[in-house]
Amino acid sequence: MNRPRIRMGLVLFFLIMVASPALAASPSSPQEWTGNANIFLGGKFLDSNDWAPAQDQIEFGLLLDARQRSWPLNLALDVMYGQGSDSGGLNFTSKILEIDFGARKIFDEIPAPFHPYI
């Protein structure tokens, strides 16, 4: 059996179960909802004592959030994937999958082409 896939499926099932009552409890029109979907591309530089020889990894992901306009915070779900390999002849690859669920505050009040968030 592939345990990481089973764990990921259980985490996604749990997140859907947690979010469903909150989303279904307030019937509203689509105009009352707002959200963001962003693609992330970056790097992960891990401690070489723990991750060598694959401590430098490329990372990409999808950052999603949504909220009703009356809510102060957005519900956020991020999925990130990182992978690194050795630069020598060890034929070693490291892979990291992150699934983050939480709240995100987006500062839409700032008039700029950027929207900072916490």
Side-chain angles (χ1 to χ4, degrees):
M1 285 178 110
N2 193 340
R3 291 184 185 218
R5 287 187 181 170
I6 293 172
R7 286 186 199 138
M8 185 173 72
L10 290 173
V11 168
L12 289 174
F13 177 75
F14 174 75
L15 293 175
I16 291 168
M17 296 305 292
V18 168
S20 294
L23 298 176
S26 56
S28 59
S29 66
Q31 293 83 10
E32 293 180 21
W33 284 89
T34 185
N36 300 288
N38 297 293
I39 297 173
F40 174 83
L41 177 63
K44 188 180 284 268
F45 305 100
L46 304 167
D47 186 355
S48 62
N49 293 330
D50 296 328
W51 290 90
Q55 68 270 13
D56 298 333
Q57 301 184 359
I58 188 166
E59 185 175 37
F60 60 92
L62 183 62
L63 288 73
L64 305 169
D65 63 75
R67 71 176 171 93
Q68 281 193 353
R69 295 190 187 275
S70 62
W71 296 355
L73 299 174
N74 293 28
L75 295 175
L77 174 65
D78 303 336
V79 179
M80 306 284 216
Y81 176 79
Q83 180 173 331
S85 57
D86 69 329
S87 57
L90 295 177
N91 197 17
F92 178 82
T93 301
S94 169
K95 299 175 184 178
I96 298 175
L97 175 67
E98 300 175 35
I99 300 173
D100 307 320
F101 179 73
R104 182 174 291 141
K105 171 61 178 163
I106 298 177
F107 298 96
D108 289 327
E109 306 83 27
I110 299 173
F114 300 101
H115 297 279
Y117 65 89
I118 297 177

